[in-house]
Amino acid sequence: MDQYVLVLNCGSSSIKFAIIEAKTGTAPLHGLAENLGTVSSKFGFNYQNKQHSAELPADASHQQALTVIANTLKKFETLSQQIVAVGHRVVHGGETFTHSSLIDDDVKQAIEQTSLMAPLHNPANLAGINSAQTTFPDLPHVAVFDTAFFQTMPKHAYLYALPYELYQQHHIRRYGFHGSSHYFVAHEAANALKKEFSNCNLITAHLGNGCSIAAIKQGKAIDTSLGFTPLEGLVMGTRSGDIDPSLPTYLIEQLGYSVDKVSHLLNNESGLLGVSKLSNDCRTLEQEVKEGNQQAKLALDMFIYRLVKYIGSYLAVVGPLDALVFTGGIGENSAYIRENTINQLGHLGFQLDIDKNLEMRFGQSGLISCSSSNPIFAIATNEEWVIAKDAIQFAH
Ligand code: ADP
């Protein structure tokens, strides 16, 4: 009999769910409750590629949304009866969680303790866990952490060059995020190369609204671009990525910004959106570039330039490379970003197959480099499958 896992991703105002078949990663049923806690709360789901909507009260809470999800599952009884575990995406596992964990009171307490470092995410993840345990009391609930894959980073890579007590007393260090995605595409690349994962040196670039890049040496993550929070590193949709750390003090002291305003600026008003003054959406910007919009071109040029710099620096630390992998909405779909990135890396042994690059999109995965190049893959990520595979280990 097939075994399915209910995968939940609870954000501050949304709950994404998917029923994942653990062997194949397929999702016959998935959906989204969004705008929770506002008048425009809504819920939609997709069953075998057909979209449906269902009633969700205005101002719906996480608990109400989960009840609607549970009622939706009841309509698909045969499928629901085959659910053997619930997997929860938890953004921050701090240094406590190097692997996925069966959720008990101690695990919940540890997630709560990490909330200080992920105030937007962990409390919402925890609220989702509590509601889901009430709604699905008979299933094992498993926490899968975005940070866990990066717990293999060596100290010289994860520490900031700050007074050491800040690390000892306040756990201030780099953690990395998008771990399940990097883990998934790295394993897919190793499979495609027919190599043992533990023998692979890879660079994986997850480019979505949030972006991160990881250096994986001999199957272990040794560096990644997101840091203490998901703000460091690459240029993102609305996040700045790397800046001079003195800038926030300058904005506060010289330009009179409040702390909140600085935080909002760096997280929500920067990146592709801030530079282009148009959109955080890569598709919109690519279209604008075609129509001659120079500001959109500047935003994408900066996005690409930062990515090229990171690939170069990770090449230096990862050793002889087995493959470079693109994933995430942009990495999987944007031939423009891939082509303009790789065009700057010819002298480091990368060359695209132009036709394969143009074809590889919309959920396809495969090699996009020509035979003389270091292998370059575009791989459709499937974080839900990683969560499902981990969760099913704890099924009765
Ligand atoms: P999130 O980080 O929110 O999960 P996604 O991984 O879905 O985001 O990525 C969203 C990004 O992917 C957006 O910038 C979007 O424009 C981009 N994207 C999606 N499809 C395409 C495409 N066909 N061409 C270029 N960019 C695309």
Side-chain angles (χ1 to χ4, degrees):
M1 198 169 84
D2 290 339
Q3 288 193 314
Y4 291 85
V5 174
L6 168 60
V7 174
L8 290 174
N9 182 354
C10 296
S12 51
S13 64
S14 70
I15 300 180
K16 270 192 205 162
F17 81 96
I19 309 297
I20 303 287
E21 206 277 301
K23 276 207 193 96
T24 60
T26 50
L29 177 63
H30 57 95
L32 173 69
E34 54 189 330
N35 304 329
L36 300 178
T38 74
V39 282
S40 50
S41 307
K42 60 179 181 179
F43 175 69
F45 67 91
N46 182 299
Y47 180 65
Q48 292 183 333
N49 299 323
K50 272 208 187 118
Q51 191 62 26
H52 304 262
S53 59
E55 282 294 309
L56 189 65
D59 270 327
S61 63
H62 281 73
Q63 183 63 65
Q64 282 171 311
L66 274 163
T67 306
V68 172
I69 291 171
N71 290 338
T72 304
L73 297 188
K74 277 188 200 141
K75 288 189 200 146
F76 304 98
E77 207 183 340
T78 324
L79 184 61
S80 305
Q81 281 167 351
Q82 297 173 79
I83 297 175
V84 294
V86 184
H88 295 265
R89 180 183 182 198
V90 180
V91 166
H92 214 313
E95 290 190 312
T96 314
F97 297 104
T98 54
H99 293 97
S100 301
S101 296
L102 186 67
I103 298 171
D104 58 17
D105 287 346
D106 289 345
V107 168
K108 286 203 270 188
Q109 202 181 357
I111 294 172
E112 191 169 0
Q113 277 162 0
T114 316
S115 288
L116 260 188
M117 294 193 285
L120 294 180
H121 296 103
N122 273 32
N125 298 156
L126 203 53
I129 289 170
N130 284 326
S131 301
Q133 284 182 320
T134 311
T135 314
F136 307 100
D138 300 326
L139 293 172
H141 289 251
V142 178
V144 181
F145 299 91
D146 261 17
T147 47
F149 180 55
F150 296 115
Q151 282 297 304
T152 52
M153 287 196 290
K155 220 167 195 174
H156 58 252
Y158 72 66
L159 283 181
Y160 293 109
L162 295 168
Y164 196 63
E165 311 80 78
L166 286 175
Y167 168 61
Q168 289 173 307
Q169 291 166 20
H170 302 286
H171 314 288
I172 293 177
R173 50 158 285 181
R174 313 180 63 255
Y175 289 95
F177 299 88
H178 295 145
S180 298
S181 178
H182 288 284
Y183 173 93
F184 179 79
V185 298
H187 277 81
E188 290 289 294
N191 289 342
L193 293 165
K194 301 195 168 38
K195 270 193 94 166
E196 283 291 318
F197 187 60
S198 58
N199 286 333
C200 282
N201 296 338
L202 302 163
I203 298 175
T204 51
H206 176 107
L207 312 174
N209 273 316
C211 299
S212 65
I213 180 161
I216 299 165
K217 190 182 177 88
Q218 302 290 288
K220 288 205 168 93
I222 59 159
D223 208 344
T224 190
S225 57
L226 291 175
F228 181 62
T229 70
L231 182 57
E232 194 178 340
L234 300 172
V235 174
M236 307 180 221
T238 62
R239 291 176 241 163
S240 63
D242 294 338
I243 55 163
D244 184 327
S246 297
L247 269 175
T249 31
Y250 184 85
L251 292 171
I252 291 166
E253 286 172 357
Q254 304 301 326
L255 303 186
Y257 280 46
S258 67
V259 172
D260 279 354
K261 192 169 170 187
V262 171
S263 173
H264 198 262
L265 177 100
L266 297 177
N267 282 290
N268 306 96
E269 299 169 36
S270 297
L272 293 177
L273 173 67
V275 178
S276 70
K277 300 195 281 182
L278 257 177
S279 172
N280 61 320
D281 192 302
C282 188
R283 281 167 295 202
T284 309
L285 297 181
E286 284 184 30
Q287 188 54 40
E288 287 288 326
V289 170
K290 277 194 198 136
E291 289 163 19
N293 184 322
Q294 288 306 309
Q295 204 65 28
K297 173 134 185 350
L298 177 62
L300 292 184
D301 285 352
M302 288 171 65
F303 182 96
I304 290 163
Y305 181 66
R306 183 88 52 87
L307 179 59
V308 167
K309 283 208 293 188
Y310 265 92
I311 293 171
S313 68
Y314 284 2
L315 268 176
V317 296
V318 90
L321 188 76
D322 289 295
L324 168 66
V325 184
F326 288 96
T327 191
I330 296 173
E332 291 168 27
N333 294 300
S334 175
Y336 176 96
I337 295 287
R338 295 187 306 230
E339 182 179 339
N340 286 287
T341 304
I342 298 304
N343 280 350
Q344 298 182 47
L345 292 166
H347 62 295
L348 292 174
F350 293 98
Q351 202 183 346
L352 278 181
D353 178 317
I354 298 295
D355 292 331
K356 282 189 195 157
N357 183 45
L358 286 173
E359 283 159 21
M360 204 66 72
R361 53 213 297 233
F362 306 136
Q364 292 184 69
S365 298
L367 203 62
I368 54 171
S369 48
C370 57
S371 54
S372 57
S373 168
N374 279 319
I376 309 167
F377 291 95
I379 297 180
T381 197
N382 193 341
E383 290 150 292
E384 285 86 4
W385 193 11
V386 174
I387 296 172
K389 281 197 269 194
D390 274 11
I392 210 150
Q393 309 296 326
F394 296 92
H396 309 301

